[in-house]
């Protein structure tokens, strides 16, 4: 297997981008990534595109060739493949792209992700997201997507004494980070009181415990590490990639406070990298709901199981903490255009590792981790990136 | 949801019919065709199994923002309950005030209307759970 590097990244602003279509979004992100990588589109060998539900969000399936077409590359006839793994579609598209380069099959691949979620009503968007859960045995009975994470939160509070204030702290921190990210959906600070007093969605979660419905796209250009310096001064090595699965329905799991898909993906990634969680300088984790960041930092091994709430309260995960989590603002504040989210995380990692993250820069960052979840934890993909020696 | 798709699920949803793997004795609900413990050894050995419907609350939430078909019912309580035979399932809790719901409370299955599909005029029935008083 060849070593792989990211040589360019690009993303649109995440948010309610009413004046841009699905096509506008992925074309903008892709062109930014190619320009950032100093690569001509005509040299690309293949593309992977993450999208959860373009069919339900904008009525358009079969978007992989469309991405190639609107990048102006129809004449190249390169292979393009769409990846669907709910909210982990982007992260898994990135993994597929890395694997084809690592295998030696292709030398220059684009991994992208896109979702245009605000062309339909909030209610329709929520119902589309719910299709990531078990429709026959969860959705049919009236379960919602926030409801599933609320079930986890209730149990986590019961089992480990996690508090609503600790959950609120996740949202407060991520909004503070989002203020420093020009591409974030929300760039305003919020207080713990606002989180606790916000409209209830599914107790114990309120509106400010939930990530928003966003439009957006992101892209990354990948090549063998040995060739990377031909294109850019600061390539970033993809040190490891791990992916895991679990039962689709939450109720099938022995312990709903632990996401075994995350543990499996993280174990594979850390083994491949030959490092431990303490060797990671920062991480982007899948905080679709505040409780999800708590379980993620536990399952990734940054803190002991059950201590995620306390660690957050103590400031361990803040920008100036021991392990800064979601420096971009996370899904909560940066936004969550589901298919784009996993690639958006890679964009943040690359900017941090290049030292280009501006006011949210983690000084001296050498290694960073991205954690992307699909559904209520039935899919997970973890990547570790580092500054090459 | 299409009518044939719903009819296919009726025995399970009306009567809490799960599956028992006669190879290892494990009981499953919702029903599945392959036992995860025995896998190919379980083929042809998964028998229908009627669950008693008695359970305890494993975790719960109060849904304030519901899907379209459930908006008329909101707020309502959703829970994962653990059946006495072992399997867990997701269902609505009824005949109990939200402030009285606690993990560990004993509940039993009741047959109720789940939702109406306005556009097709179909009414869906299935199980909900209520406290054993
Ligand atoms: Zn068996």
């Amino acid at each position: 297997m060849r070593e792989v590097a990211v040589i360019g990244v690009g993303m649109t602003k995440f948010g309610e981008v009413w004046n841009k279509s699905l096509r506008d979004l992925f074309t903008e992100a892709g062109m930014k990534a190619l320009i950032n990588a100093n690569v001509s589109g005509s040299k690309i060998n293949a593309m992977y595109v993450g999208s959860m539900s373009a069919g339900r969000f904008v009525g358009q399936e079969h978007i992989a060739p469309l991405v190639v077409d609107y990048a102006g590359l129809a004449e190249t006839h390169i292979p393009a493949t769409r990846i669907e793994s709910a909210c982990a579609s982007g992260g898994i598209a990135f993994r597929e792209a890395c694997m084809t380069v690592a295998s030696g099959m292709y030398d220059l691949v684009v991994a992208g992700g896109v979702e245009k979620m605000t062309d339909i009503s909030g209610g329709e968007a929520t119902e589309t997201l719910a299709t990531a859960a078990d429709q026959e045995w969860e959705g049919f009975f009236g379960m919602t997507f926030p409801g599933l994470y609320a079930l986890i939160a209730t149990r986590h509070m019961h089992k480990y004494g996690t508090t609503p204030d600790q959950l609120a702290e996740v949202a407060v921190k991520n909004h503070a980070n989002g203020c420093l990210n020009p591409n974030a959906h929300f760039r305003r600070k919020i207080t713990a009181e606002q989180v606790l007093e916000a409209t209830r969605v599914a107790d114990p979660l309120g509106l400010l415990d939930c990530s928003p419905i966003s439009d957006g796209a992101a892209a990354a250009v990948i090549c063998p590490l040995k060739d990377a310096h031909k294109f850019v001064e600061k390539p970033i090595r993809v040190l490891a990639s791990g992916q895991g699965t679990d039962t689709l329905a939450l109720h099938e799991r022995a312990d709903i406070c632990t996401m075994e898909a995350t543990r499996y993906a993280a174990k594979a990634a850390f083994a491949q990298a030959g490092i431990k969680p303490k060797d990671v300088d920062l991480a982007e984790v899948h905080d679709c709901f505040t409780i999800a960041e708590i379980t993620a930092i536990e399952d990734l091994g940054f803190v002991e199981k059950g201590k995620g709430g306390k660690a957050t309260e103590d400031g361990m995960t803040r920008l100036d903490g021991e392990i800064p989590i979601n420096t971009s603002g996370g899904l909560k504040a940066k936004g969550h255009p589901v298919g784009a989210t996993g690639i958006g995380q890679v964009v943040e990692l690359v900017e941090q590792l290049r030292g280009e993250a501006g006011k949210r820069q983690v000084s001296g960052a050498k290694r960073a981790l991205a954690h992307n979840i699909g559904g209520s934890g039935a899919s997970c993909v973890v990547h570790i990136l580092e500054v090459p020696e | 949801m299409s009518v044939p798709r719903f009819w296919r699920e009726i025995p399970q949803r009306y009567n809490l019919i799960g599956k028992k793997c006669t190879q290892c004795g494990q009981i499953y609900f919702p029903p599945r065709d392959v036992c995860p413990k025995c896998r190919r050894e379980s083929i042809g050995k998964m028998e229908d199994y009627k669950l008693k419907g008695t359970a305890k609350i494993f975790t719960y939430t109060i849904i304030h923002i519901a899907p379209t078909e459930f908006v008329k019912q909101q707020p309502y309580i959703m829970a994962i309950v653990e059946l006495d035979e072992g399997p867990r399932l997701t269902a609505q809790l009824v005949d109990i005030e939200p402030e009285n719901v606690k993990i560990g409370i004993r509940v039993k299955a009741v047959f109720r209307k789940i939702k109406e599909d306005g556009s097709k005029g179909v009414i869906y029935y299935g199980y909900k759970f209520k406290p054993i008083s």
Side-chain angles (χ1 to χ4, degrees):
Chain A
M1 296 265 274
R2 300 192 293 185
E3 290 207 272
V4 175
V6 180
I7 52 171
V9 290
M11 67 180 282
T12 66
K13 185 180 162 26
F14 285 2
E16 284 186 41
V17 191
W18 62 269
N19 60 339
K20 286 182 185 160
S21 68
L22 179 85
R23 297 171 196 217
D24 296 334
L25 291 169
F26 63 60
T27 303
E28 180 185 330
M31 294 310 285
K32 280 180 174 168
L34 289 171
I35 291 164
N36 189 248
N38 297 312
V39 161
S40 159
S42 61
K43 303 282 192 244
I44 299 295
N45 302 134
M47 276 195 202
Y48 289 86
V49 183
S51 159
M52 174 180 168
S53 198
R56 287 180 64 134
F57 286 121
V58 297
Q60 181 69 61
E61 303 288 19
H62 205 185
I63 67 166
L66 189 66
V67 174
V68 177
D69 182 3
Y70 275 68
L73 297 172
E75 281 183 2
T76 65
H77 305 293
I78 56 167
T81 308
R82 170 178 164 186
I83 305 288
E84 188 276 308
S85 239
C87 315
S89 301
I92 295 175
F94 181 75
R95 175 178 157 89
E96 293 295 322
C98 289
M99 290 196 302
T100 56
V101 172
S103 75
M105 189 155 201
Y106 300 125
D107 290 325
L108 207 49
V109 176
V110 173
V114 63
E115 216 76 61
K116 175 71 195 174
M117 301 174 73
T118 65
D119 274 0
I120 54 175
S121 72
E124 288 171 300
T126 306
E127 281 160 32
T128 298
L129 292 171
T131 62
D134 188 328
Q135 288 296 86
E136 305 264 345
W137 301 104
E138 293 176 327
F140 175 84
F141 294 95
M143 183 45 84
T144 63
F145 207 59
L148 289 166
Y149 279 88
L151 293 176
I152 296 171
T154 302
R155 189 75 198 169
H156 206 278
M157 289 171 165
H158 172 80
K159 199 167 173 185
Y160 301 113
T162 303
T163 66
D165 295 87
Q166 290 170 345
L167 295 186
E169 197 50 45
V170 172
V172 171
K173 167 183 69 72
N174 291 351
H175 270 252
N177 291 350
C179 288
L180 308 176
N181 183 353
N183 289 320
H185 188 153
F186 296 126
R187 303 193 65 201
R188 59 181 165 85
K189 288 199 173 190
I190 55 170
T191 64
E193 290 69 39
Q194 285 174 303
V195 181
L196 295 167
E197 286 163 17
T199 306
R200 297 290 90 193
V201 173
D203 285 314
L205 305 179
L207 204 54
L208 292 178
D209 287 284
C210 307
S211 56
I213 287 167
S214 318
D215 304 323
V221 184
I222 294 147
C223 77
L225 181 62
K226 65 175 174 53
D227 301 335
H229 278 286
K230 292 179 200 162
F231 302 104
V232 289
E233 266 178 44
K234 291 182 187 170
I236 299 299
R237 180 206 308 249
V238 181
L239 190 58
S241 173
Q243 184 183 343
T245 55
D246 203 347
T247 65
L248 194 64
L250 185 68
H251 58 230
E252 296 279 4
R253 300 183 202 154
D255 173 12
I256 65 166
C257 296
T258 302
M259 292 207 179
E260 292 294 346
T262 295
R263 283 169 44 88
Y264 185 95
K267 194 178 168 193
F270 281 119
Q272 199 182 343
I275 62 165
K276 295 198 154 54
K278 66 168 172 48
D279 302 320
V280 172
D281 298 318
L282 66 111
E284 289 285 294
V285 311
H286 198 91
D287 60 323
C288 49
F289 300 94
T290 49
I291 183 63
E293 180 167 315
I294 305 280
T295 57
I297 60 173
E298 295 170 352
D299 296 335
L300 290 165
F302 294 129
V303 297
E304 235 179 274
K305 192 76 222 169
K307 305 270 174 70
K310 182 72 168 60
T312 304
E313 185 177 33
D314 292 346
M316 180 182 170
T317 57
R318 280 185 213 146
L319 207 45
D320 60 355
E322 203 179 308
I323 171 82
I325 299 288
N326 285 327
T327 55
S328 71
L331 283 56
K332 177 70 200 78
K334 181 197 202 176
H336 186 26
V338 283
T341 286
I343 308 274
Q345 293 178 326
V346 171
V347 174
E348 177 69 9
L349 263 44
V350 168
E351 289 185 354
Q352 286 282 357
L353 295 173
R354 284 174 175 168
E356 296 171 353
K359 286 182 180 168
R360 55 184 203 287
Q361 182 65 45
V362 174
S363 68
K366 291 278 179 266
R367 262 191 219 114
L369 179 148
H371 162 261
N372 189 196
I373 284 278
S376 61
S379 288
C380 178
V381 59
V382 170
H383 286 98
I384 303 170
L385 273 56
E386 77 167 1
V387 179
E389 292 297 306
Chain B
M1 186 178 293
S2 72
V3 172
R5 179 170 163 190
F6 177 69
W7 275 95
R8 209 161 54 224
E9 315 291 352
I10 275 186
Q12 297 94 317
R13 289 197 183 127
Y14 276 29
N15 302 318
L16 272 181
I17 307 288
K19 291 280 183 189
K20 180 176 183 173
C21 171
T22 55
Q23 179 77 12
C24 72
Q26 189 73 28
I27 293 160
Y28 295 99
F29 191 92
R32 48 174 75 223
D33 297 331
V34 173
C35 169
K37 290 183 201 284
C38 306
R39 301 196 291 277
R40 72 181 59 187
E41 302 300 325
S42 68
I43 295 171
K45 294 176 183 168
M46 301 296 280
E47 290 183 354
D48 283 358
Y49 187 89
K50 170 106 172 78
L51 291 140
K52 286 183 297 180
T54 46
K56 64 179 188 224
I57 297 172
F58 179 73
T59 184
Y60 64 93
T61 177
I62 299 144
I63 305 287
H64 295 271
I65 298 182
T68 317
E69 294 160 317
F70 291 87
V71 165
K72 275 192 268 179
Q73 301 180 48
Q74 74 189 30
Y76 56 91
I77 309 160
M78 291 298 298
I80 293 177
V81 302
E82 188 169 294
L83 298 168
D84 289 350
E85 294 90 343
R88 292 191 195 130
L89 56 82
T90 299
Q92 194 174 331
L93 296 183
V94 291
D95 301 345
I96 183 168
E97 292 304 317
E99 57 270 23
N100 296 330
V101 181
K102 283 191 182 62
I103 288 173
I105 286 181
R106 296 280 299 159
V107 291
K108 67 176 179 190
V110 288
F111 181 66
R112 294 284 169 92
K113 182 168 92 178
I114 301 291
K115 60 182 175 182
E116 289 172 47
D117 185 338
S119 58
K120 296 199 190 75
V122 181
I123 299 173
Y124 297 109
Y125 292 90
Y127 50 77
K128 294 185 179 182
F129 281 75
K130 71 172 208 176
I132 298 173
S133 47

